[in-house]
Structure formats: structure tokens, C-alpha cells
Amino acid sequence: MTEKYLPADIEPKWQAKWNESELYRQEINLDKPKYYALTMLPYPSGELHIGHWYAMAPSDARARFKRMNGYNVLFPMGFDSFGLPAENAAIERKIHPATWTYENIDRMRIQLRSMGAMFDWRREAISSDPSYYRWSQWFFKKLLELGLAYRKKAAVDFCPHCNTTLAREQVWGDDRHCERCKTPVIKKDLEQWFFKSTNYAEELLDFSEINWPERVRVMQTNWIGRSTGADVVFWTESGDPISIFTTRPDTLWGATFMVLAPEHPLVDKITSVEQRIEVDAYRSAAARMEDIDREAADREKTGVFTGAYAINPVNSERIPIWVADYVLMSYGSGAIMAVPAHDDRDFEFATKFNLPIVEVILSPERSTDGGALTEAYTSKDAGQMINSGIFDGTPIEEAVEKVTAWLEENDIGKAAVNYRLRDWLISRQRYWGTPIPIVYCPRHDAVPVPDDDLPVLLPEDVEFMPTGESPLKFHEEFLHTHCPICGEEALRETDTMDTFMCSSWYQYRYLSPQDEEAPFDPDEGAYWLPVDQYTGGIEHATMHLIYTRFFTKTMRDMGLVSFDEPMMALYNQGMVLGEDGEKMSKSRGNVVAPDRLVAQYGADAVRTYLMFFAKWDQGGPWNYDGIKGPQRLLYDVWEIGSVEYEPSKIDREAGRALRRKTHQVIRKVTADLESFSFNTAVAAIMELRNAIIDSQKLANVSREIWDESVQNLLLLLAPIAPHLTEELWQRKGYEYSIHQQTWPVWDEEIVKEDTVTLIIQINGKVRDKIEVPTNSDDDFLEETALASEKVQNWLDGKELRKVIVAKGKLVNIVV
């Protein structure tokens, strides 16, 4: 009988030992290749959920694997701790956001330690610490110096009852109401701060330096939305210019009306007295809609005539100007020329409102007298220009280039590139975030706070308004200050920064989180940067993962780093669903609590199951019964590692078979962990477990081969189940720690099988299978196949025409 396996005793013991011996403390080591492994830091929302474990435990196993392969691995952890949930909790629970946040961090830190991950806790960074957000403010100033930060009016969601702006997360329901008072929200223009992320749009489309998933690259490419075409200026009859961007300048002659976004600044000026009431009502309704709903292709088009007209610059036609919500101020100029004959949305709009439809690109399937169009012809690949003056007959494949050149020659327009990407709005009208380091002076306008006065601290003695407005507006000591230039009385900016600002550069702060002289130590940066491997959810593809790329490129332009991309490789894990196959939520009652699982099965069992139950990049539904298989594996390994093995009789062939299996599994697990294929790595370890147990029952392999196989079993399992393997490694008297050992290497000669299965076909149909020695020559294989009793029966009475031997594994007999 062996001693019972008790994870509840073993796991805390080794976590304490690792911490005491600073096993995972990582320093610069020029004798080893560096490997910066990073997994996305959590928001301290209360407790770790199984999704955190699913992201972090396999990432930890991969980091451990790289360390055992000779890399100096940095694997840090921190907390993205500013944000709206903490402020909501403060209002709902009547506690300070800092109290709620730091209590959660304390709890989550304990939970993270229970995972047994190799986090270097000395490098912990917390974005709501003044020592962290001081440098967020410093970066803001640097971006301002580079001309990459600016202030302008922008629309925000506003609750008229609470008299406050709302973040997107605070607007609920299809009717877009305030989460606090249920009042329908409206749009309101406020002065806000932006970063010029569009300056880097072209660079952000270049993924040549990074190994990121194709799906992320496509999502970012679509989000940035590069379009080529022309900028063209139309003029209203009253002399106001309307700039538009079009990807189809070849269709200008078919523009029969114009459409302005409801928010366009010209709407107020050009709307006629007769149309004013209708236009104002329409604009109010549009202000309550989300852009994504306004753009929906299947939504019925709505609009209102302004009473004004513009002149088409290519043919001097007088065309009406409409307001419609399917045109957005957030894309292009907020104005479009409408060409209903060649754009689906414009066709639907023109048909509904009985506006002219002029065909200017003739489809090869239509004649010039083909009658009215029944749908828009939108192809860019075939056709010719018609009803377009001097360009009639121009093939469509030449049309855009020729028309654009003509526009430039006649000062009507010019070639242009447009992006869907908008500049990054970083202002947030709430308390729990990084204060923007700006003061407003009556004489000098917006003035940055000097470096010596950073950080601009969030005041702690604030009173939260029942409406949810930012307390900074009403904190006299914070609000009132003096101008750094002239010393006159001034007011502080009361907006705080978008929390994505904090998470855009956190990987740099891990390098020296207590540094008071710089955002990170340049010596640490020269060694560790950039991040080698990043892991996290694909849901961050078009926000965090774009912002951190933008931020690194600005840091390069500041001279802080010498590279272009923050993370060289990215891997996205999937999602753990509830047992019902649905996304986990408290309302569904399908949430899996990792703390209870650890108490019941142990952290190693939870880790092993999470790496076994599904492909890591796909995820799947949780299965409480499924954890029993990985748990059985650990109990079997405990038995194997604890037993005193003594052979009773030695079978050399059995010994060779066990060594072969061991080396085959080393090869398999090595390849699988390198490629994040954790599930098949665990399955291969289970195969080795089975082979060792079979040898144990028969006691027919030598002690040397037994020890080699068991030792390799522990080494292979160490990244996945770190506590169990550490305990057994110590009990066997090996050197501390198993996690400092070299990863096992397989021998190609040992891996080779002694025999292979020879498949014998007659006229392409399998008739027999025979085991033959590996590397047998073709003559031997042919003789063996023809000598087979089954083959002889099939050949009886038939004429043998030829024998084909393929790759040493197949013989095809043609009769």
C-alpha cells in the first residue's frame, strides 16, 4: 500500500516552498535565450471564474515547458483595476471603489496562487496604483507633445434625468435606456480628448512582423477598413461646400441626391423653414440609436428632405439634400453622394422616396434601352460607363483611374484613401480612472501638468452623487488649482482616461513596477522586450489588441523602444461553456466555481482537465464527470511514483517496448505543447501511464528502464500538474526542483518500431495485413505478400500481371 494522494496537503506545501525559495524569480540572464510569456491580466471583479483558469493554467503550462527547454522565461501577472464596474459597485454598495477593488485583488491574488502558476509576483502591476497611473499620465503628455493627443467636441450618450454622460456599458436595452433610472438616453456633444490612432492606420494593416491568428488579422483589417477612391466637393446652392469620399468616382454622373448624417453640422444651416420641424424630429430620433443599428443592411431606410439642394460638380445637375440615419458622422465626412443605380442602400432609399435612378454603368447583360432597373448593379468587374459625358464607353476596369485623374485636372476632387478606423476617444466622464493631467487656464487654455507634479492623484474623500455623476466635478480641492505657466487660478480636467489606456502598455510596467524614474527600466526592456508569446481571448481583437499595437508604435516614435510590434506571437483560447452548452451566467445557474473544484479535486486535477477536455482554441461545455479521467491519471501517477518497483523476470522485448513508448510520448508531448495542443499532450501522457502500469503488473522490465520511464513521465507531466510532480520528484530523492530540470529528449532510433504492418491488396482491395520487420527491402516484402495464405487463395486460378511495392508498407498485386 502506498501513502494516499492528498492534494489539499501537497499543493499549499509546494506553493509556500516555491514562494520561499523564489523559484520563479526571473532576472536578466545573458547566458540563456529570453522568453517573455504573457497572458491577459484580469479585471478584479470579485473572484476568479473558470474562464480565468482556462486562459491562465494552459498559458502557465506552456511557460513552464519553455523554461524546461532552456529559456529564461518571464511570466508576470497584474490587475487591470480601473473601470466602470468598481464605480457602479461604489454606488450600489455605498463603498469606495478603491475598497471594493483592492479587496477583490487580495482575494484574487490568493486564488491565483492556488493555481500553482509560475507568476513572478515581484513584478505585479496594478493599474489603479498611483505608481502605475503616474506613467499613464506621463504617456498622455508625451502623446500630446507628439501632436497625437487633441481635444474636440464629440457625441456621447447622455441621460437627461441623471444629468450625466454614460459609458456604452451603462446604456441598456433595445430602447437604449439609462441603466440607473431607465430614462431613454440622448446624444450630446461634449469636449473630449482623443488619440490620433488613425495616423497609424496604414501601419496597423501590416502584420508581416508578427505571428498572429488569421482570424484576428482579418478582424483588425476589417475594423481599420481601408478604402481607396476620391475626395470630391459638392456645393450647396447657398455656397456651402460638402466634402464626400467615394470608392466609385466613376459613378459620379449617377448621383441624383445627397444624404447627410443627422449630426452633420450643415443640417442646421441648410434646412428650410418648411422642413425644420420634420428634420428636427428626425434628428432627435436618430440621436437615440446606436451606429450599428443605423448601419444594418436589412433595416428599412428612413430619411427626411432638408429643403436644400446641391450641385453635382461633374454635370451641374441640381440634386436634393436629404438627412438619413444610415449615414454616419463616424465614417468619412458624414455626407455621401447617393447613386441609386449602383448602390443597394441608395437604390432602396430612392425607390422608397421616388427619387431619380440614373444608370451610369451598363452591365454586359443589359442594353441601353433595357428599361428601368429592378435592382442596383454594383459589380466593379464588368461593364462600361454610360450617361457620363466624355467617359461614355469607358470599360469599368479603367474607369476609376481615368475619372480620378480627370477630377484632379479639373480641381473637382483628388485621389484619396479613407479608413473606417476612428481616432481613439479616451475621455470618460467618471471617477474611477486615471485623471487626465490637464488644467484649464483662462489665459493659456489647456496646459499639461508638469512631470514633477505627477501623478495627479485621485482624491479619496469623495462623495458619490446619487445620479452617478463623477465626484471630481464637485471636489473643490481637486478641481481648483493654478496654471503651471502663469500661476493664475485654473480648473483641472475632470474626465478620466479610458481603461484601455492602462492595458495598452502594462506589459512594459511588469519589467520594473516600482521604477520611479521611468515607465520601465531600459536595461530590462533591452533584454525582455518585445513579448514573445501573448495569450488571451479573441474578443479583444478590435480594441485592446489594436490599442496596444498603436501604443507600441507611438513608444517607438518617442524613442522608448526600437521595435514596431508589442507581441511577436498571439494565441487565442476558446471559451468554457456551462454544462448546458450555454455561456456561463449566474442567471442560468450554470457557473462553475474553481475554488470548489480545487477543494474537491485539487488544483492539478482542475488544470489537467482544463487542458484535456477540449482543443484549447475552441473550448466547449464543462462536464463534471469528465474531470474524473484526469483525476484518475493523477492518482495513477501517484501510485507509479510511490511504488517500490522490483522486476521478477526481465523480458528484453518488453523493456524495448516500454522505452519505445516513452520516447514516442516525449516526441508527441514536445510537439503538442509547442503548438498549444494540450488535449493531445495529456492523452499521450495517459498512454505512457498505461504502458508503465502494464509493465508494473508483469514486473518484466529492468529497474533502469522502469526508472527512466517514470522519471520522464514526471517531467512530461510537470508543466501540467506542477504540485504532484514536484512532490514525487522530491520523494524519489532527485534534485530540487523538477521545474528547474531539462526537458526530456527523445532518441529517433529508440522511437522506431521494430515492425510495421504490411497491407496487401489485390487489384486495389485489401486482402491481408502482416507484421514485417521495419526497413525490409522490396524483394522481401513482395515474397512475403505472395507467400500469404490468404493471398494464395485469392490468386488461385488467376493470372499474375505485376506486383507494386509502395513505401515499404503496402504491396498491391495486379491480377
Side-chain angles (χ1 to χ4, degrees):
M1 293 290 291
T2 59
E3 185 180 336
K4 189 176 181 182
Y5 170 45
L6 298 173
D9 294 339
I10 292 170
E11 292 175 354
K13 163 189 163 182
W14 285 111
Q15 290 161 16
K17 173 68 174 177
W18 296 334
N19 185 56
E20 178 189 346
S21 64
E22 295 188 324
L23 181 66
Y24 303 124
R25 177 175 182 145
Q26 297 303 325
E27 305 288 357
I28 294 172
N29 184 346
L30 299 178
D31 295 329
K32 286 186 173 184
K34 69 93 178 180
Y35 193 83
Y36 189 170
L38 183 68
T39 192
M40 293 181 184
L41 77 176
Y43 183 83
S45 55
E47 293 186 353
L48 284 185
H49 52 71
I50 202 67
H52 288 119
W53 274 69
Y54 190 59
M56 294 177 186
S59 297
D60 173 65
R62 181 62 158 43
R64 290 176 177 277
F65 164 73
K66 297 300 283 188
R67 178 178 179 172
M68 294 176 75
N69 274 276
Y71 288 90
N72 188 26
V73 177
L74 176 63
F75 189 52
M77 181 48 62
F79 297 93
D80 186 15
S81 48
F82 269 141
L84 184 65
E87 194 158 342
N88 285 345
I91 295 168
E92 294 166 11
R93 296 172 173 82
K94 297 183 179 179
I95 58 173
H96 197 282
T99 302
W100 186 80
T101 297
Y102 283 91
E103 285 179 354
N104 289 344
I105 287 175
D106 289 342
R107 184 160 51 251
M108 292 177 74
R109 195 184 287 120
I110 293 170
Q111 292 176 302
L112 285 166
R113 288 183 184 276
S114 77
M115 189 186 294
M118 56 172 282
F119 300 130
D120 183 352
W121 285 103
R122 295 176 310 110
R123 296 179 180 270
E124 179 188 70
I126 301 174
S127 64
S128 55
D129 283 353
S131 61
Y132 186 100
Y133 69 72
R134 167 191 179 178
W135 297 106
S136 294
Q137 294 172 345
W138 184 85
F139 276 122
F140 175 93
K141 289 184 57 187
K142 287 295 181 185
L143 290 167
L144 190 63
E145 290 172 14
L146 286 175
L148 294 172
Y150 66 95
R151 192 169 179 250
K152 73 167 186 178
K153 277 195 172 182
V156 296
D157 288 317
F158 187 86
C159 175
H161 179 266
C162 296
N163 194 35
T164 186
T165 57
L166 303 175
R168 283 179 303 174
E169 301 94 332
Q170 294 172 300
V171 180
W172 287 13
D174 292 338
D175 63 343
R176 304 192 71 247
H177 63 263
C178 171
E179 66 165 334
R180 297 190 182 108
C181 69
K182 314 306 180 192
T183 302
V185 304
I186 61 173
K187 293 285 186 182
K188 187 173 183 178
D189 285 341
L190 289 180
E191 291 283 349
Q192 300 194 78
W193 286 96
F194 291 80
F195 289 155
K196 287 187 179 179
S197 52
T198 52
N199 278 25
Y200 294 83
E202 198 66 36
E203 223 185 313
L204 289 167
L205 287 168
D206 181 5
F207 302 95
S208 61
E209 295 183 20
I210 51 179
N211 179 20
W212 284 26
E214 176 67 17
R215 188 178 170 197
V216 173
R217 297 199 300 268
V218 169
M219 290 172 73
Q220 290 199 357
T221 298
N222 292 339
W223 186 264
I224 294 165
R226 186 183 194 273
S227 302
T228 58
D231 286 333
V232 182
V233 178
F234 287 65
W235 293 85
T236 68
E237 287 186 316
S238 56
D240 296 300
I242 303 178
S243 297
I244 63 104
F245 169 80
T246 176
T247 60
R248 297 294 306 273
D250 54 329
T251 64
L252 270 160
W253 285 262
T256 58
F257 59 100
M258 297 195 76
V259 182
L260 302 183
E263 303 84 4
H264 197 289
L266 263 184
V267 175
D268 274 332
K269 184 175 181 181
I270 66 173
T271 299
S272 66
V273 174
E274 296 81 6
Q275 294 296 110
R276 174 68 61 185
I277 293 176
E278 192 175 359
V279 169
D280 286 350
Y282 185 83
R283 296 176 77 190
S284 296
R288 298 191 52 245
M289 296 180 65
E290 285 282 9
D291 286 357
I292 193 169
D293 296 324
R294 288 168 54 173
E295 284 189 293
D298 57 351
R299 181 174 166 269
E300 183 180 358
K301 300 298 176 286
T302 62
V304 178
F305 177 44
T306 63
Y309 290 83
I311 304 301
N312 186 327
V314 299
N315 58 14
S316 300
E317 290 288 334
R318 183 174 184 257
I319 58 177
I321 304 173
W322 285 65
V323 173
D325 57 21
Y326 74 90
V327 178
L328 307 176
M329 278 304 296
S330 59
Y331 182 76
S333 63
I336 66 164
M337 65 170 198
V339 184
H342 306 293
D343 181 272
D344 290 328
R345 294 187 307 175
D346 297 344
F347 184 88
E348 182 183 344
F349 192 93
T351 301
K352 179 175 180 178
F353 292 104
N354 198 29
L355 294 166
I357 299 175
V358 176
E359 191 174 6
V360 293
I361 302 294
L362 183 66
S363 162
E365 285 76 36
R366 278 174 60 82
S367 62
T368 52
D369 58 351
L373 287 170
T374 57
E375 63 180 357
Y377 178 65
T378 60
S379 173
K380 300 178 183 179
D381 301 320
Q384 61 177 329
M385 294 179 68
I386 60 171
N387 299 322
S388 301
I390 62 172
F391 291 101
D392 282 356
T394 303
I396 193 170
E397 57 268 21
E398 303 172 12
V400 170
E401 183 178 351
K402 288 185 175 181
V403 170
T404 301
W406 179 82
L407 292 173
E408 292 181 340
E409 290 170 7
N410 290 274
D411 293 326
I412 297 172
K414 61 180 181 180
V417 176
N418 194 49
Y419 299 94
R420 181 179 180 273
L421 180 71
R422 299 293 90 193
D423 281 343
W424 179 6
L425 169 59
I426 67 149
S427 289
R428 294 294 181 269
Q429 295 76 36
R430 57 182 185 238
Y431 165 71
W432 192 239
T434 298
I436 295 175
I438 293 290
V439 299
Y440 297 103
C441 170
R443 289 176 57 189
H444 297 103
D445 196 24
V447 181
V449 174
D451 286 357
D452 290 344
D453 294 337
L454 299 180
V456 175
L457 292 170
L458 274 179
E460 295 183 7
D461 55 333
V462 293
E463 293 184 12
F464 286 90
M465 305 296 289
T467 61
E469 271 198 287
S470 171
L472 297 179
K473 286 186 177 181
F474 308 100
H475 194 284
E476 294 295 317
E477 188 177 344
F478 176 85
L479 184 63
H480 296 281
T481 186
H482 295 89
C483 174
I485 298 175
C486 64
E488 290 189 10
E489 291 187 0
L491 297 177
R492 289 195 189 278
E493 171 65 76
T494 58
D495 282 359
T496 54
M497 296 186 208
D498 179 10
T499 54
F500 280 116
M501 170 75 172
C502 305
S503 59
S504 291
W505 70 278
Y506 75 101
Q507 67 269 27
Y508 299 99
R509 192 59 178 169
Y510 281 150
L511 303 184
S512 50
Q514 305 307 319
D515 198 326
E516 296 182 358
E517 303 300 322
F520 63 92
D521 184 319
D523 291 335
E524 293 272 340
Y527 178 74
W528 290 111
L529 296 173
V531 172
D532 294 284
Q533 181 66 60
Y534 199 28
T535 56
I538 199 168
E539 66 271 15
H540 300 288
T542 56
M543 298 189 78
H544 162 62
L545 289 172
I546 284 184
Y547 294 145
T548 192
R549 293 183 67 211
F550 159 75
F551 216 86
T552 291
K553 295 175 192 302
T554 68
M555 289 173 67
R556 176 203 60 202
D557 294 345
M558 295 173 196
L560 293 174
V561 298
S562 59
F563 46 85
D564 302 323
E565 297 285 357
M567 298 97 179
M568 302 313 295
L570 171 70
Y571 198 94
N572 299 124
Q573 83 275 354
M575 180 183 293
V576 183
L577 304 174
E579 279 202 297
D580 55 2
E582 299 291 337
K583 187 175 179 178
M584 290 187 191
S585 70
K586 292 180 180 178
S587 61
R588 288 195 180 101
N590 62 354
V591 173
V592 176
D595 285 2
R596 290 201 295 270
L597 294 171
V598 171
Q600 184 175 357
Y601 300 105
D604 280 349
V606 178
R607 289 171 60 106
T608 307
Y609 175 66
L610 287 172
M611 290 181 237
F612 178 64
F613 88 107
K615 288 185 176 181
W616 196 47
D617 62 340
Q618 295 180 10
W622 180 267
N623 184 340
Y624 282 100
D625 289 333
I627 201 172
K628 293 175 183 177
Q631 185 189 35
R632 181 70 262 163
L633 169 66
L634 300 188
Y635 274 95
D636 287 343
V637 171
W638 178 264
E639 293 290 329
I640 291 168
S642 303
V643 72
E644 286 295 328
Y645 174 80
E646 290 296 336
S648 59
K649 56 181 178 179
I650 295 179
D651 181 340
R652 293 183 61 189
E653 183 55 39
R656 290 179 63 197
L658 180 57
R659 286 198 78 199
R660 185 184 308 116
K661 172 56 74 174
T662 300
H663 283 251
Q664 288 174 342
V665 170
I666 292 171
R667 182 176 62 178
K668 173 66 174 166
V669 174
T670 301
D672 287 346
L673 292 185
E674 189 63 51
S675 62
F676 298 91
S677 301
F678 301 104
N679 59 325
T680 51
V682 174
I685 291 170
M686 289 177 171
E687 288 183 19
L688 180 56
R689 176 267 319 260
N690 294 340
I692 293 174
I693 289 175
D694 289 344
S695 296
Q696 179 186 353
K697 290 176 181 176
L698 296 173
N700 62 349
V701 301
S702 70
R703 180 63 183 264
E704 178 187 0
I705 292 177
W706 168 269
D707 287 344
E708 177 192 351
S709 295
V710 173
Q711 184 183 70
N712 283 313
L713 174 67
L714 296 179
L715 289 168
L716 294 174
L717 188 58
I720 297 165
H723 308 91
L724 167 71
T725 52
E726 186 78 279
E727 177 72 17
L728 292 174
W729 191 260
Q730 183 214 36
R731 290 183 177 222
K732 287 188 165 296
Y734 297 137
E735 179 185 5
Y736 175 77
S737 152
I738 191 172
H739 305 297
Q740 292 178 310
Q741 305 308 307
T742 301
W743 186 254
V745 179
W746 71 93
D747 186 319
E748 284 291 354
E749 290 302 315
I750 297 175
V751 162
K752 292 178 181 176
E753 297 281 358
D754 289 342
T755 63
V756 295
T757 301
L758 179 66
I759 298 174
I760 306 172
Q761 297 178 336
I762 298 178
N763 288 355
K765 294 184 178 181
V766 177
R767 299 305 184 189
D768 200 3
K769 295 179 182 179
I770 301 174
E771 291 298 312
V772 296
T774 303
N775 298 324
S776 299
D777 62 35
D778 289 357
D779 289 341
F780 175 80
L781 295 177
E782 180 177 340
E783 291 173 9
T784 302
L786 292 172
S788 161
E789 184 177 345
K790 290 182 180 179
V791 170
Q792 288 294 320
N793 292 335
W794 280 101
L795 292 178
D796 187 31
K798 296 183 176 66
E799 179 187 350
L800 178 66
R801 292 196 172 177
K802 63 179 175 178
V803 178
I804 303 167
V805 180
K807 297 182 180 180
K809 295 182 179 179
L810 183 143
V811 174
N812 186 25
I813 301 168
V814 181
V815 297

